Structures are given as structure tokens and as C-alpha cells.
């Protein structure tokens, strides 16, 4: 077995992917406060907004106010998601407030059609133009491929097909490709195979893992990706968001659970786990409901010898 | 990377380890019904009772009635847990109702003292006598070592020390040794190292993994053990029981989540996943509260192409 990577990068996606999926709209002030907290945990990558039609995703309609209102340290890189050229136009009006732009497509034809009402070819033709514009603006272009490990409509999605799309993105200027487990269909054996192939086929590109915890397998998938050399991960504080499908399921893996597992294995993240748990607890207070992350309850593991630890038989 | 094992054995521990941790006592009739259901899912190993003092664990005081009341297929092996010679005496009064006996100790001196008020040496002296009696009765002797991967009181527990205890158990007649993650301190990197060493030092002994999902890492640990050749696992339907420490935490990994992950990787369990989910839902009804397993909500992954699957962007 190979040694594990010594260090990984984690992108916090809760402010976009998490808040988007909340049934109640979160106030702009609360969003700003939570992002400011996250930006002081050592997390150096945060996805904070998306420029989508407000009638489609009203939860994120205050993206401009959020981006203009937050105050984050200089070494924190902020990402926005754009679905099309119009979204990029809108984002570029506040060009100075972020440094990374994510564009996306689904690996599954049916899922792409349902999601954005276009074929993959149509989406990619547009994405190539958008990617070039992003690069020309001296912004970092990251691409996301949804349903990378399986599709709820089509079932199996061929690995080779997903990586073909990834190569198209890379050729158009994306320096990072994220592979999303949109409805939680990935398993660790396939993830090991997938990331081995992805890292081989995409030299010079940052290959990012984005898993969901739909059936409790999210961290097992993260471990499998790590084992074969993946060092870039996305997760969401409080286990917010992702794709709550089937209804009531959890989506994204929790940042604090992922960070806890990495730290326990001696894999550095640069993140203060306690601070992320505090931020997740603050989100819990804002949302007024119990979040499903495990570490939010259990806290970090305490390895110091102590006479009065809680235990049980 | 080595190929994964083609088949694993799973012991369902919910009826003992799960029911023991419920704040409200479950009726004997409900226990019998749930065990009878579990025994018809393809699970061929079930821990059903423990012979402990009823004033200490009142939740399991009806062990005799449960064992005499259940009706399970002949190929299902039932296990009871005994803490000491007196417990074994009581169990042997209904000798014909089970076929496996579990005995235990903690790898941590402090945890053992808190749990059974004896030193490890005192516990092992007694365990050696009990193990020989179990073998003499033509019953299968399985030993469990609690706090195998870390102790809430002592912190680190040396691997070598834990395996020394395991060898003592094996010498006394235990044909299976389970390594318990009592308070959820294991991580997948250590688990890989641990089971590699355990399988090497315990030839001819069945080496069993028992993980908790305290910080969401339970299935990652199971995957790590599987990767290095472990083929025996314990889990609990509905994610019941285990050690809810810190308070409110989850304990045991959920049988249905574990089975889902194994099946998705092509690792056979012999178990009908849908039937286990049904049993977990029945337990949810009996207990009158939402259980924390993921598959109880999400159900098994559906890989068949379908036009009307749930999805999300």
C-alpha cells in the first residue's frame, strides 16, 4: 500500500451548495457572518455564490450582496458558480470580489437535459467559450462534472466518457476538474479505480473529489480517493446541502467529519477543526434545526490521557 | 492494490448491543419479532442476549425469554455475551438455545477497571477459565477486545499490547477475536495497519472488525479493514446502540449502510439488503423515534435506467 499524501486541500462548499438547498432563505447578514467565520478557520477555498436565475434558485439571489459584504483574509480564495454566459456576465460586474469560477455539465446525457435543458454537446460548446473568457479575465477556471460515478436516470456512466469530458474542459482552460457524486452512487472500490485513471489522464490538472454521504459511504469514498493520490476535496460544513435525494437523505459530506478523519490519519489540511465545528454549530443556530454532521455532536477525538472522559461499556 | 475479498460475514449485534443502549426497555415480544425478522434476511450471525446482572443492564433482563421465544432458521448462529463465570452459569441453563458465546476485556487498563472493576490480568485469568468451559460445552468461543484502537481515558493503546491479549484469548480456545472501537477513535490508516498485523499474528483465528460511526468514519474504517483482508464484520441494524459517547453521538455502524457499501463493491454478504432495511424500519416503529442509519432513508441504490428517478441539480 502506498503512503498517503501528507497534505490535502479542502474547498468549503456550504455557502453555495449548502445554502442553495435550504427550504427557508437565509438572511444575507447571516450568510456573510457564516462565510466570515469559515474564512477564519484555515479553510482557504470557499464556494460562496452562484450566478443563476433568482426565480430558479431564490436562495442564492443575494450573491452580489454576499460577495460585496464579506470580509475574508487575503489568502482565502473565493469561488462562484456560473451556469452559462449570462451568469458569467453578471459575475464579472463584481469581478474583483472572487478569484475562481466554476462551470459545470453532467456526465449523463439525461441528467444534463433535466438539469439545464441542453445536450452535453450543447453545454460543452458553451462551456468552452465561457472557460476561455474566464481565463482571459485572469480568473481561475474550475470545472465540475455532475453524476460522474452514476446517474439516477441512466444508471452506469462509463468512466472513459466522464474523463473525455474532463479532457475537453482542460483543453478549454480549466485547471481544476471536480467529479461530483450528485446522488451518492459512488463506492470506494470504484472511486479508487476512477481517481487512478483521472490522475493519469489529466496531468497538470487539479483533480477534485466531491462526494455525498447518501448511504453513509462518503468518507469511505474520500479515503479511497486519498489512497490513490487525490489531494483536493470538497465538503460542506454541518453536512449542509448536496442533493437531498431521495427526500430526507443527506447530501455533501461534512467538512468537520472529513477534516477529523484526515487529521487522525496525519494528513494535514491547514484547518482548525474546532473552528469549523464552531461555524457548523453557528449554522445550526441560524437554521434552527439539528444538522446531520457527526463531529458537530461528538467533537474532535481527545487523545490526551484523562481521568474523567465519557465512556461506556 | 490487492483485490478485495469476494465474500464477507456480518454479525448483526443490534438485539444485544443496540437494545442494551435504548433508554426505554423494549418489550420481549417486540424483541422476538425483530430478531425473527433479522434471522430471515440472510444474516447468519446474530448476537441476541447477554447474561449480565439485571440491575446493571435492565434492558436485557429478559434474555432467557427472548432466547426461548425466538424462532430462527437452522443456519443462523446465535451468540450470547457473558461477563463472567456466573453469567456463563446462567447461560448454560438454556444451553440448547444458542451456539456462540462472547467473552470480553478492554485493551485499556483504565477502561477495564471502569467497566468491570478488575485489572486486565484479573479479567483474563477468569476469561481463560470461561473460554475452556465454553469449548468443553461444544460451544463456539468468540472474544471481544474493547478500546482496541484507543481509549477515552488513556489515549493511545499500543497495537502490540492489544494483539498480546488476542493471543491469550486464542490460546484459551477463542476461535474468533473481535476488535471493538468502543468510543469511535479508529481511523482508516490505523485500521489498515492494525488488521494487517492482527491477521498475521492470529493465523487460524477469525479476526472480526467492530467499528463505530462516532465521527462519520465507520464505513471508511470497514473499507480499510476489508482492503487488507478482513472478512468478518459486526454492525447494528438501524445504527442502533454501540456507545453513544459523547452523549448524542451515534455508535455502531449501520448494518444496512455496511451491506450497501459491500454490495456496491461486488463483495457478497449473502444478505437481502431490502429485508434488513425493512427490519430497521420495523425497529424505528417499535422505538418511536427516527434512527440514524442512512440507507433507512435513501434505500438501496437503483442502477436500472428509469425516466422518473428523483434527482437534483
Amino acid at each position: 500500500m502506498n503512503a498517503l499524501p501528507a497534505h490535502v486541500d479542502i474547498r468549503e462548499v456550504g455557502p453555495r451548495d449548502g445554502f442553495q438547498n435550504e427550504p427557508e432563505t437565509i438572511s444575507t447578514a447571516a450568510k456573510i457572518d457564516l462565510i466570515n467565520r469559515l474564512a477564519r478557520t484555515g479553510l482557504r477555498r470557499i464556494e460562496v455564490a452562484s450566478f443563476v436565475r433568482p426565480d430558479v434558485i431564490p436562495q442564492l439571489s443575494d450573491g452580489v450582496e454576499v460577495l460585496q459584504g464579506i470580509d475574508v483574509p487575503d489568502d482565502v480564495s473565493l469561488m462562484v458558480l456560473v451556469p452559462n454566459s449570462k451568469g458569467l456576465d453578471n459575475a464579472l460586474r463584481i469581478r474583483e470580489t472572487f478569484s475562481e469560477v466554476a462551470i459545470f455539465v453532467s456526465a449523463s446525457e439525461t441528467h444534463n437535459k433535466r438539469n439545464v435543458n441542453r445536450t452535453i454537446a450543447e453545454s460543452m460548446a458553451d462551456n468552452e467559450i465561457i472557460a476561455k473568457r474566464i481565463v482571459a479575465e485572469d480568473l481561475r477556471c474550475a470545472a465540475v462534472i455532475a453524476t460522474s460515478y452514476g446517474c439516477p436516470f441512466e444508471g452506469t456512466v462509463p468512466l472513459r466518457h466522464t474523463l473525455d469530458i474532463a479532457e475537453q474542459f482542460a483543453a478549454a482552460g480549466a485547471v481544476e476538474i471536480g467529479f461530483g457524486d450528485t446522488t451518492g452512487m459512488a463506492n470506494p472500490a470504484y472511486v479508487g479505480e476512477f481517481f487512478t485513471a483521472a490522475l493519469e489522464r489529466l496531468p497538470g490538472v487539479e483533480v477534485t473529489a466531491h462526494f455525498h454521504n447518501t448511504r453513509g459511504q462518503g468518507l469511505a469514498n474520500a479515503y479511497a480517493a486519498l489512497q490513490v493520490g487525490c489531494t483536493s476535496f470538497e465538503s460542506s460544513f454541518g453536512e449542509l446541502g448536496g442533493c437531498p435525494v431521495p427526500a430526507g437523505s443527506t447530501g455533501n459530506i461534512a467538512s468537520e467529519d472529513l477534516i477529523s478523519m484526515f487529521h487522525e490519519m496525519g494528513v494535514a489540511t491547514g484547518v482548525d477543526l474546532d473552528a469549523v465545528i464552531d461555524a457548523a454549530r453557528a449554522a445550526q443556530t441560524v437554521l434552527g434545526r439539528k444538522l446531520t454532521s457527526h463531529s458537530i455532536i461528538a467533537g474532535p477525538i481527545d487523545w490526551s490521557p484523562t481521568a474523567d472522559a465519557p465512556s461506556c461499556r
Side-chain angles (χ1 to χ4, degrees), chain A:
Chain A
M1 193 123 349
N2 295 327
L4 296 177
H7 184 276
V8 296
D9 288 306
I10 294 174
R11 178 177 292 113
E12 170 59 48
V13 300
R16 199 282 301 171
D17 194 348
F19 295 170
Q20 162 175 338
N21 282 284
E22 286 300 315
E24 304 290 327
T25 301
I26 305 165
S27 76
T28 306
K31 288 179 182 176
I32 289 170
D33 176 59
L34 291 170
I35 293 168
N36 285 348
R37 280 170 181 268
L38 288 167
R40 283 160 183 81
T41 61
L43 283 162
R44 295 196 304 152
R45 295 174 159 188
I46 309 178
E47 189 181 36
V48 287
S50 80
F51 287 84
V52 290
R53 275 170 47 197
D55 57 318
V56 177
I57 305 182
Q59 292 95 331
L60 298 182
S61 58
D62 58 354
V64 171
E65 291 79 4
V66 168
L67 277 157
Q68 290 179 329
I70 56 180
D71 171 31
V72 308
D74 286 345
D75 64 350
V76 175
S77 177
L78 300 177
M79 171 181 271
V80 302
L81 183 83
V82 303
N84 47 39
S85 298
K86 177 91 170 97
L88 182 60
D89 292 342
N90 291 334
L92 289 177
R93 290 198 193 118
I94 48 168
R95 154 78 186 75
E96 73 290 350
T97 60
F98 55 87
S99 57
E100 300 186 274
V101 182
I103 55 180
F104 63 91
V105 74
S106 294
S108 144
E109 199 65 74
T110 313
H111 188 268
N112 202 62
K113 193 84 185 171
R114 301 282 185 114
N115 197 16
V116 294
N117 199 27
R118 287 190 289 186
T119 64
I120 292 175
E122 286 165 350
S123 281
M124 288 308 291
D126 203 18
N127 273 329
E128 283 177 13
I129 295 164
I130 301 172
K132 287 182 179 125
R133 289 183 61 201
I134 293 167
V135 173
E137 290 282 346
D138 207 22
L139 291 160
R140 188 169 187 272
C141 179
V144 175
I145 304 179
T147 64
S148 282
Y149 317 94
C151 169
F153 305 115
E154 296 188 3
T156 304
V157 174
L159 198 165
R160 190 192 177 122
H161 166 71
T162 304
L163 296 186
D164 285 345
I165 296 172
E167 280 192 342
Q168 268 185 273
F169 271 127
V175 294
E176 175 183 346
I177 318 274
F179 296 97
D181 187 18
T182 311
T183 59
M185 295 173 83
N187 70 69
Y190 185 64
V191 164
E193 184 191 338
F194 188 98
F195 278 83
T196 301
L199 289 163
E200 198 175 292
R201 268 193 62 180
L202 299 165
V205 173
E206 180 162 25
V207 172
T208 297
H210 180 117
F211 297 120
H212 285 191
N213 202 27
T214 316
R215 287 163 189 89
Q217 85 289 36
L219 293 195
N221 288 335
Y223 177 60
L226 181 79
Q227 278 188 309
V228 298
C230 177
T231 59
S232 177
F233 294 85
E234 290 187 340
S235 58
S236 181
F237 74 137
E239 206 173 75
L240 287 173
C243 178
V245 164
S249 300
T250 59
N252 292 308
I253 53 175
S255 300
E256 53 272 32
D257 292 347
L258 181 70
I259 292 162
S260 171
M261 184 177 80
F262 283 150
H263 288 188
E264 289 299 317
M265 296 192 292
V267 177
T269 67
V271 181
D272 178 343
L273 175 55
D274 287 298
V276 175
I277 291 174
D278 284 346
R281 286 179 181 150
Q284 193 165 246
T285 302
V286 166
L287 298 171
R289 63 181 175 85
K290 277 202 168 181
L291 302 185
T292 52
S293 120
H294 286 74
S295 297
I296 207 173
I297 298 166
I301 296 179
D302 182 1
W303 284 98
S304 58
T306 168
D308 59 355
S311 179
C312 70
R313 70 193 62 250

